[in-house]
Amino acid sequence: MKIIISGALGAMGRTIAANAANFGVEVAAGVDREASDALAFPVYEGFANCPTDVDVVIDFSHPSNLPNVLAFSKANNIPAVIA
């Protein structure tokens, strides 16, 4: 399974990223307020550059980002887990 983590640089995003491989999950990309190379996968400032060949978007971002998460998920027919 391949995922995108929205809110990747937050506490829960980092926890998911750190444990994903233990469950056979590949983190394809992350999204946060600022792009970063601090993690083992690319973290983008928005969804524009994110891959679309993923199985799910997991969102632990700020509620103000919800429209962006839903728009990306809907446009690419990707399920989203909103937390």
Side-chain angles (χ1 to χ4, degrees):
M1 174 179 284
K2 289 172 61 174
I3 66 171
I4 293 173
I5 302 172
S6 179
L9 298 177
M12 285 305 297
R14 288 179 185 264
T15 299
I16 292 169
N19 291 288
N22 297 336
F23 296 93
V25 174
E26 175 189 345
V27 181
V31 175
D32 214 292
R33 286 180 280 187
E34 295 182 17
S36 174
D37 59 1
L39 300 175
F41 51 87
V43 177
Y44 301 107
E45 193 172 325
F47 285 95
N49 294 319
C50 282
T52 57
D53 62 336
V54 298
D55 299 299
V56 67
V57 174
I58 299 179
D59 177 48
F60 276 99
S61 66
H62 191 271
S64 64
N65 193 43
L66 182 61
N68 298 323
V69 174
L70 296 177
F72 176 80
S73 294
K74 184 176 179 179
N76 295 289
N77 199 31
I78 301 170
V81 176
I82 310 298

